[in-house]
Amino acid sequence: NQERGHAKRTSILDGVPQSFPALLYAQKISKKAAKTGFDWPDATPVLANMAEELEEVQQAFASGDQQHTLEELGDLMFACVNMARHLKQDPEQVMRAANAKFERRFRFLEKQFLEAGEALEEVSLERMDAGWDAAKLQGL
């Protein structure tokens, strides 16, 4: 029961290492599923799926059921990976870029308040939000 040195595969999804980072794993299994025709024709319905999944996260959160909320959050994240795949982008790279943008903006925020002699932990959320908006205006 060996197939090219591997255990015989029983699913099209077999062969993706469980050790892959979660975003990469999601990308690989959704790509494999897409090869069977189980996919949206383009990115537009993926956006609709993302909106639907977000609504389900909101409903689960409102119900107070944390486990259900986490399941729905996972579905939303999976839909986001599918969007990246439809845009022919690597979700890991998309997430790295988002992390870098967050870090640039947060560091800007810290620097602004530090230069004004204020500890960020003592600044109101409203003032931090205003600083965040200023970072966005500067293209950070």
Side-chain angles (χ1 to χ4, degrees):
N1 283 345
Q2 293 290 315
E3 188 178 274
R4 294 185 191 175
H6 299 288
K8 187 169 182 164
R9 295 181 178 175
T10 59
S11 169
I12 190 115
L13 303 180
D14 289 346
V16 179
Q18 293 278 329
S19 61
F20 274 8
L23 291 176
L24 178 60
Y25 188 84
Q27 177 188 20
K28 296 293 186 184
I29 64 172
S30 68
K31 185 175 182 179
K32 283 182 168 242
K35 287 181 180 178
T36 70
F38 189 73
D39 198 11
W40 292 280
D42 57 57
T44 301
V46 181
L47 283 174
N49 179 247
M50 290 169 62
E52 176 184 323
E53 295 299 346
L54 177 58
E55 186 175 318
E56 290 175 6
V57 170
Q58 292 168 328
Q59 290 171 355
F61 182 75
S63 78
D65 185 336
Q66 184 176 12
Q67 183 59 41
H68 188 216
T69 302
L70 294 175
E71 289 172 16
E72 295 301 341
L73 179 59
D75 291 348
L76 174 60
M77 293 172 73
F78 194 86
C80 291
V81 169
N82 271 308
M83 185 63 174
R85 182 175 57 80
H86 271 271
L87 296 174
K88 299 187 180 358
Q89 298 298 311
D90 177 354
E92 291 284 338
Q93 293 302 321
V94 171
M95 193 72 244
R96 288 182 200 283
N99 290 344
K101 181 171 67 173
F102 177 87
E103 189 173 350
R104 281 190 310 272
R105 290 177 180 174
F106 192 83
R107 288 178 185 275
F108 173 85
L109 194 64
E110 286 179 311
K111 184 180 176 198
Q112 294 299 348
F113 287 106
L114 181 63
E115 288 175 355
E118 297 180 83
L120 196 57
E121 298 84 359
E122 297 170 4
V123 175
S124 72
L125 180 57
E126 292 79 15
R127 290 185 58 217
M128 283 192 259
D129 279 341
W132 189 266
D133 290 341
K136 288 170 65 173
L137 286 173
Q138 291 199 14
L140 298 178

